[in-house]
Amino acid sequence: MAFDGDRQADPTRFGTEAFYASIGRAFVAMCAIVPVLFLIELLDRLSGNRLDQAGGIRPHHIDGLDGIVFAPFLHASFDHVLANSVPLILLGTFVLADGGARFWFTTAFIAIVAGVGVWFLGDGNTIVVGASGVIFGYLGVILMRGVVGRRLWYIGVGLLVGLLYGWQLFGVLPGDPDVSWQGHLCGFLAGLVAAVIFRRRRPRAVAPDEPLSLGPELS
């Protein structure tokens, strides 16, 4: 049984104070991540791009497997970081607003699937770095939440993202040799799956004439 106070305290219910507070906290947190990425890129530049060389994904090479963990934090240039910053903040905010633990599990799942996809499908003569796979994963999460979440604001966000960044979906197809479409595609698919696996379980509705069970732990 849901009470009005419970609804107002639900951070997933659009229009409540809890909802706006959750979005605000998530936005601040995502904004804090971007300077860290710029700092890492600065250190990479100062080291002569050694971080990219050591931490990037090397497809088909055993010594390139550790890049699955490190590559999302590395970028090819400051322009690369800047290009990823806005969609990372925007999409990450809505993913994080659904819960911190759910966000980290979702992000880890997306990064691993996208990284493994790049390692298996990528060009063995390249080194792949960047958070693009995770970003496409967040896009997949938000779009799928509009289906499995059964919340109008999920659907609204999915439509907004589709309008603002729908053109980026072309990044999941082969094209520019300097763009890892494999990471984009695998990340996007991982996001769709993650939205289902880590979805928020909605409480079962209680019929008016059905006795309310407090559960064994409260009896």
Side-chain angles (χ1 to χ4, degrees), residues 6-102:
D6 296 329
R7 293 191 180 96
Q8 292 301 316
D10 184 356
T12 67
R13 185 175 293 275
F14 181 83
T16 64
E17 292 185 6
F19 169 83
Y20 292 120
S22 178
I23 291 291
R25 289 192 298 268
F27 179 76
V28 171
M30 293 306 302
C31 286
I33 291 176
V34 171
V36 175
L37 297 180
F38 274 100
L39 177 59
I40 293 174
E41 179 57 25
L42 175 61
L43 295 176
D44 183 46
R45 286 294 186 92
L46 294 176
S47 69
N49 295 324
R50 291 181 181 177
L51 295 183
D52 286 349
Q53 296 290 330
I57 300 174
R58 295 175 180 268
H60 315 306
H61 294 271
I62 298 299
D63 61 353
L65 281 172
D66 55 355
I68 294 174
V69 175
F70 299 113
F73 302 98
L74 302 171
H75 290 80
S77 65
F78 286 113
D79 288 340
H80 191 194
V81 180
L82 183 62
N84 280 342
S85 295
V86 174
L88 180 65
I89 291 174
L90 176 62
L91 299 175
T93 292
F94 288 101
V95 176
L96 177 56
D98 200 43
R102 188 173 290 106

Side-chain angles (χ1 to χ4, degrees), residues 166-190:
W167 59 272
Q168 290 194 9
L169 291 176
F170 289 108
V172 304
L173 300 175
D176 190 340
D178 294 327
V179 175
S180 176
W181 65 268
Q182 299 94 338
H184 295 175
L185 176 60
C186 293
F188 181 74
L189 295 177

